């Protein structure tokens, strides 16, 4: 299974899903990565705001930041190779890299027990 590292721009928290207006893309990637971790995948995220040393230690990411600035973020590194810059991977890409099905990366909405609220 692939080793996936995501280098995020400065976020308010490790997932970036707090605050008054939540970015749905951050919610999707946080859910997908949580599901991957539950399946035993080797994934990690680094937040530029709280973990800048990780950006310095990863030479490819450090070079991208020097060349393109923070516009290059997020950077996705798979098995020590930069696969994406400036956007998060799709669930299909995560599935391809890990061998875990796309359906397993998506949190199913809970079914109501016969009660539908308006």
């Amino acid at each position: 299974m692939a080793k996936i590292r995501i280098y995020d721009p400065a976020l308010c928290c490790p997932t970036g899903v707090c605050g008054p207006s939540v970015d749905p893309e951050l919610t999707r990637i946080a859910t997908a990565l949580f599901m991957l971790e539950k399946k035993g995948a080797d994934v990690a995220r680094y937040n530029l705001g709280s973990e800048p040393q990780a950006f310095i230690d990863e030479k490819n990411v450090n070079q991208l930041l020097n060349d393109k600035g923070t516009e290059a973020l997020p950077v996705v590194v798979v098995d020590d190779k930069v696969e994406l810059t400036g956007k998060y991977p799709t669930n299909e890409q995560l599935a391809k890299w890990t061998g875990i099905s796309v359906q397993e990366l998506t949190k199913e909405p809970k079914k109501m027990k016969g009660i539908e609220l308006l």
Side-chain angles (χ1 to χ4, degrees):
M1 194 175 296
K3 178 178 80 174
I4 300 172
R5 302 291 181 258
I6 297 179
Y7 296 85
D8 287 304
L11 300 171
C12 58
C13 65
T15 61
V17 296
C18 58
S21 62
V22 177
D23 180 348
E25 182 65 353
L26 289 174
T27 303
R28 181 195 62 79
I29 195 69
T31 300
L33 294 177
F34 176 74
M35 301 302 257
L36 283 174
E37 287 177 338
K38 282 179 58 176
K39 297 287 180 186
D42 184 4
V43 297
R45 287 177 83 175
Y46 302 102
N47 181 342
L48 181 60
S50 59
E51 301 166 289
Q53 189 63 46
F55 293 74
I56 295 168
D57 293 342
E58 173 54 51
K59 291 179 183 175
N60 292 326
V61 173
N62 192 5
Q63 187 63 50
L64 279 167
L65 285 173
N66 285 328
D67 293 345
K68 298 180 179 179
T70 57
E71 296 298 317
L73 300 174
V75 175
V76 181
V77 177
V78 179
D79 290 334
D80 301 319
K81 178 183 172 196
V82 174
E83 290 287 344
L84 289 174
T85 63
K87 62 183 179 181
Y88 290 101
T90 64
N91 287 358
E92 289 76 14
Q93 289 170 313
L94 291 169
K96 178 182 171 189
W97 295 329
T98 60
I100 295 173
S101 73
V102 172
Q103 291 75 24
E104 292 180 272
L105 301 179
T106 307
K107 186 175 180 181
E108 295 290 326
K110 290 185 178 180
K111 292 184 179 181
M112 302 298 285
K113 296 181 179 180
I115 301 172
E116 291 188 31
L117 302 175
L118 299 176

